[in-house]
Amino acid sequence: MRTLPLRRRGIAVASLVLAGGVAVGGATAYAASGTTATPSASPSATAAHQAAHRHLRTPRGIHGQATVKNGVTGQYVTREWQRGQVTSVSGATLTVKSADGTSWTWTTDSSTKVTRDGKKINESVLANGDTVEVLGKQSGTANDATRIFAPSAAQIAKMKAKSAATPTPSPTNS
């Protein structure tokens, strides 16, 4: 069997990496579209869809928005996320302040899923000072929460230890 020259091997590897990135990006865009798997979907298709949703659960940054097309309705939807601390809880509203000082007020309803340690909890358990990650969609000027992740103290300590152990890249001088 003939081996490829080093340059061609590099191009082949880069092509494979690019193709994988496009596949992951497509799965992420599909998941962000709000499309759900049908009951007749194969188990592997459903698992891939759920894996894409897990990827969306941890977007980079502390808050942001992305406009995506809903695969079912064809309408464009603004998806939002925010990480921070709860500064106010009042009825069906929750105010979260991110590390950069940005405060957003989120509206919750009976369909909002709130979890801690992977277990569903009641949103009334959330209190000022709790660390949360909120996912939702924009409705006019309102931020409607669809998922709230409230890590336990043990999970927060684990995340802080992991981020402290990760070296920060230093700028290179040319």
Side-chain angles (χ1 to χ4, degrees), residues 27-42:
T28 301
Y30 174 78
S33 70
T35 305
T36 56
T38 59
S40 61
S42 69

Side-chain angles (χ1 to χ4, degrees), residues 142-156:
N143 304 317
D144 294 340
T146 54
R147 285 293 300 251
I148 301 173
F149 300 95
S152 66
Q155 287 175 315
I156 292 170

Side-chain angles (χ1 to χ4, degrees), residues 31-109:
S33 70
T35 305
T36 56
T38 59
S40 61
S42 69
S44 62
T46 303
H49 183 75
Q50 289 170 345
H53 272 288
R54 280 192 296 274
H55 174 71
L56 284 177
R57 189 176 89 181
T58 56
R60 291 185 177 255
I62 54 175
H63 57 83
Q65 297 177 322
T67 302
V68 296
K69 189 172 185 177
N70 182 310
V72 175
T73 66
Q75 300 295 315
Y76 287 94
V77 181
T78 301
R79 303 282 184 202
E80 304 178 306
W81 69 90
Q82 183 180 21
R83 289 186 178 126
Q85 287 194 318
V86 175
T87 58
S88 173
V89 179
S90 177
T93 62
L94 175 77
T95 303
V96 177
K97 185 175 183 179
S98 296
D100 69 345
T102 301
S103 285
W104 286 354
T105 300
W106 296 85
T107 305
T108 61
D109 62 21

Side-chain angles (χ1 to χ4, degrees), residues 131-152:
T131 298
V132 294
E133 180 178 333
V134 185
L135 301 177
K137 64 182 179 180
Q138 189 176 46
S139 298
T141 59
N143 304 317
D144 294 340
T146 54
R147 285 293 300 251
I148 301 173
F149 300 95
S152 66

Side-chain angles (χ1 to χ4, degrees), residues 4-31:
L4 294 173
L6 184 59
R7 178 177 162 84
R8 285 195 179 175
R9 274 186 282 179
I11 291 171
V13 169
S15 298
L16 288 172
V17 169
L18 179 60
V22 169
V24 169
T28 301
Y30 174 78

